[in-house]
Amino acid sequence: MSRPELSIAPPPSEGLGAAAAQVARGLARPSLAPIRLAAIAAGVEGLVLSVTFWFVQYAATPGTQFHPGMAGLAGIGMAMLALGLTAAFGGFALRVMVNARRSLPRTLPGYLLALVAMGVAGLGHILPGGVFWAGLTAFGVVLVPLRYCLSLAADWAVASGLTARRAVLAGGGPEAERLVRGLSEKTGNEVRICGIFDDRTGKRAPDVVLDVPKIGSFDDLVQFCRMAEIDLIILCLPPTAEERIAQLLEKFRVLPVPVHLSAFSQDFSFADAPDGTALLPATFRAERRLAKRVFDLTLGASMLVCLAPVMLAVAVAIRLDSRGPIFFRQQRHGFNDSLIRVWKFRTMYADQCDARGSRIVTRGDPRVTRVGRILRKTSLDELPQLFNVLEGSLSLVGPRPHAVDARSSRQERFAQIVQGYSARHRLPPGITGWAQIHGWRGEVDDPESLRHRFAHDLFYIENWSLWLDLAILLRTPLSLLDTRRAY
């Protein structure tokens, strides 16, 4: 039996101008956000501190009393304590890390307090005085050079523009010239203008504004931001152009990118703070990405290990029930409308699988196998998506990823039913979500049901937190008892 082929959607750059597509391809990877740089530095420092604390214990403990395993655990614990205190003292802030002289004073207190904690705890056999002096020596020999090297690396990253916030301008008139000139004259500017988008031509919007080229129209900007990793959009329009600003905001609302008005910023910082400076605030900032990724990796790996026996039993049942592959892959919309391939257990007969998702499964659908009906009702067919979570294309919790050509049972495309439908892609899609625990899953048999799902997805996006993710995960097993729409 031949395996169903996945539909291949057109590349994101198709229809985009040559200049915009070339710039977008060069920005396919995200910039090195300060939180990512801090995480890398903390990881390196934590590893070195763990080893250092281990040798501190080794040097301060009589040979017959030294236990390598216990010393290793204590070393990791003390390193985590030191890192936590360093972070509390601001030692991982980018402005501090780039300067070794400012960095070391923020690091020393946390290190010394960790040493004191180790000495006070005693670990049953370590002499406090020996630990302290051995640790102080290690500070001079190991930590000072390490911090100096990290400061050099952080300073190089900043000087190379790796940490700069990438921005595009919507509008290329006098406001754009004022902004570009102001940014070039600002000391310590961290905003990098990658291009200008404007529908106008001639003097109202020249092809180049102070060496920054116009690379597309307003309609191109959304597609550009789908393809490139952009940190902010700046509207270079006068505040009096209220109608035009409102139209552009509605167009950009589907993007996970904050939108600012240049006229509202006097210092050209465009900080994404909760003070109302952004017309459209960021929905998925770098620190949120990192926190959600750590959450997904930790819980996702644990769930995969615990559910491995169940997945093995399902795989055997599928193999015994019908011919064909055990798994089914389907192309779906991911974060920021990117295309991802989602894994599932096969629930249909192999020669009737619908890789495009253009024909929704209905009650009593003859394409579904006997085992498939059970899997779909219990949602066990979704378990292989844990591999997607580890890969990073899915999250444990988020708006459910729909097929590229998803339609209702009335053969209406989802994007035609709900205006701005792709706004639900401003966060990574998930295995379960806010809409699913409220019963909105399975067949879309009328437009209103899809609108309810969309509204629930937007609520989740606008109120996201790790606590909300955890609450949704805990409520998911109970929500699966409602199988009215699952078939």
Side-chain angles (χ1 to χ4, degrees):
M1 193 71 66
S2 62
R3 182 173 183 166
E5 293 294 327
L6 289 174
S7 58
I8 304 298
S13 60
E14 187 171 305
L16 200 60
Q22 183 178 358
V23 174
R25 282 191 289 269
L27 302 174
R29 293 181 178 276
S31 58
L32 187 60
I35 186 65
R36 293 181 182 273
L37 189 61
I40 294 171
V44 172
E45 194 164 294
L47 177 62
V48 174
L49 285 179
S50 298
V51 175
T52 300
F53 278 125
W54 188 91
F55 278 104
V56 166
Q57 296 173 76
Y58 178 78
T61 307
T64 56
Q65 299 180 21
F66 182 72
H67 300 287
M70 290 296 297
L73 292 175
I76 293 173
M78 292 302 105
M80 292 178 65
L81 176 60
L83 290 177
L85 291 170
T86 300
F89 291 134
F92 291 114
L94 184 58
R95 67 182 185 280
V96 172
M97 287 184 59
V98 296
N99 189 322
R101 292 184 178 180
R102 297 179 62 187
S103 180
L104 285 171
R106 303 292 184 98
T107 307
L108 181 58
Y111 187 86
L112 293 181
L113 286 173
L115 284 176
V116 171
M118 180 184 288
V120 171
L123 300 178
H125 51 269
I126 297 178
L127 299 174
V131 170
F132 184 81
W133 290 113
L136 198 58
T137 302
F139 173 80
V141 174
V142 177
L143 200 59
V144 172
L146 173 64
R147 264 287 157 163
Y148 181 73
C149 291
L150 289 176
S151 294
L152 289 178
D155 185 57
W156 173 84
V158 172
S160 301
L162 298 180
T163 61
R165 288 194 295 157
R166 300 167 181 171
V168 290
L169 307 186
E175 277 292 324
E177 183 176 347
R178 182 187 74 86
L179 173 63
V180 174
R181 192 182 302 279
L183 287 173
S184 65
E185 296 173 352
K186 180 184 177 183
T187 303
N189 168 47
E190 59 176 19
V191 177
R192 171 191 168 195
I193 305 300
C194 300
I196 298 173
F197 292 82
D198 203 324
D199 290 340
R200 300 168 297 176
T201 57
K203 293 183 178 180
R204 298 181 64 195
D207 292 337
V208 179
V209 176
L210 298 179
D211 294 331
V212 180
K214 183 173 69 173
I215 58 177
S217 65
F218 289 138
D219 288 336
D220 293 330
L221 199 152
V222 172
Q223 193 172 358
F224 177 86
C225 290
R226 299 286 196 203
M227 186 178 174
E229 286 281 352
I230 297 299
D231 297 307
L232 69 155
I233 297 172
I234 304 175
L235 294 181
C236 292
L237 298 173
T240 53
E242 296 180 1
E243 184 176 351
R244 189 57 170 152
I245 291 174
Q247 292 173 352
L248 291 176
L249 288 178
E250 187 63 31
K251 185 187 295 289
F252 302 152
R253 198 175 297 277
V254 300
L255 296 171
V257 182
V259 179
H260 293 258
L261 187 65
S262 61
F264 284 176
S265 178
Q266 300 302 319
D267 60 356
F268 306 108
S269 62
F270 300 104
D272 187 32
D275 58 0
T277 57
L279 299 179
L280 291 178
T283 56
F284 203 38
R285 296 189 298 270
E287 59 272 19
R288 288 188 165 198
R289 289 194 186 196
L290 182 61
K292 193 168 179 63
R293 186 69 183 130
V294 171
F295 180 86
D296 287 338
L297 284 174
T298 304
L299 285 185
S302 302
M303 293 172 66
L304 189 59
V305 171
C306 295
L307 293 171
V310 177
M311 295 175 67
L312 179 60
V314 170
V316 171
I318 293 172
R319 177 64 72 187
L320 295 176
D321 182 54
S322 62
R323 293 181 179 181
I326 293 172
F327 297 105
F328 170 70
R329 293 184 304 162
Q330 189 177 59
Q331 201 171 52
R332 301 189 178 188
H333 284 297
F335 173 61
N336 199 18
D337 245 20
S338 61
L339 297 179
I340 60 175
R341 288 182 174 178
V342 172
W343 288 84
K344 295 183 68 175
F345 281 123
R346 180 175 59 84
T347 59
M348 296 184 184
Y349 292 102
D351 60 344
Q352 299 184 53
C353 290
D354 183 9
R356 292 184 59 85
S358 56
R359 181 184 169 192
I360 200 166
V361 177
T362 57
R363 188 183 299 275
D365 199 312
R367 298 174 297 166
V368 180
T369 65
R370 291 172 299 176
V371 170
R373 296 189 191 284
I374 298 173
L375 297 182
R376 297 181 73 91
K377 275 191 172 294
T378 58
S379 291
L380 289 176
D381 60 322
E382 313 284 357
L383 289 182
Q385 290 171 23
L386 288 170
F387 293 113
N388 285 104
V389 172
L390 299 185
E391 176 193 51
S393 56
L394 281 187
S395 177
L396 286 174
V397 182
R400 283 293 297 154
H402 293 154
V404 174
D405 195 31
R407 305 186 185 201
S408 69
S409 54
R410 302 178 184 181
Q411 289 301 297
E412 297 172 293
R413 285 189 172 87
F414 286 0
Q416 295 174 333
I417 297 174
V418 178
Q419 184 179 7
Y421 170 78
S422 61
R424 63 191 300 277
H425 302 147
R426 287 180 292 158
L427 279 186
I431 298 179
T432 184
W434 186 250
Q436 282 63 46
I437 66 171
H438 285 87
W440 298 108
R441 65 188 183 105
E443 180 184 7
V444 178
D445 52 2
D446 67 272
E448 199 59 32
S449 65
L450 184 64
R451 294 190 185 102
H452 279 296
R453 294 187 195 197
F454 181 73
H456 280 75
D457 289 336
L458 291 189
F459 175 87
Y460 170 78
I461 291 170
E462 293 166 1
N463 295 275
W464 177 83
S465 70
L466 290 181
W467 292 112
L468 182 58
D469 276 5
L470 187 59
I472 291 172
L473 283 174
L474 293 175
R475 289 178 58 179
T476 294
L478 290 177
S479 70
L480 295 179
L481 298 177
D482 182 3
T483 61
R484 289 173 295 177
R485 291 178 173 266
Y487 35 83

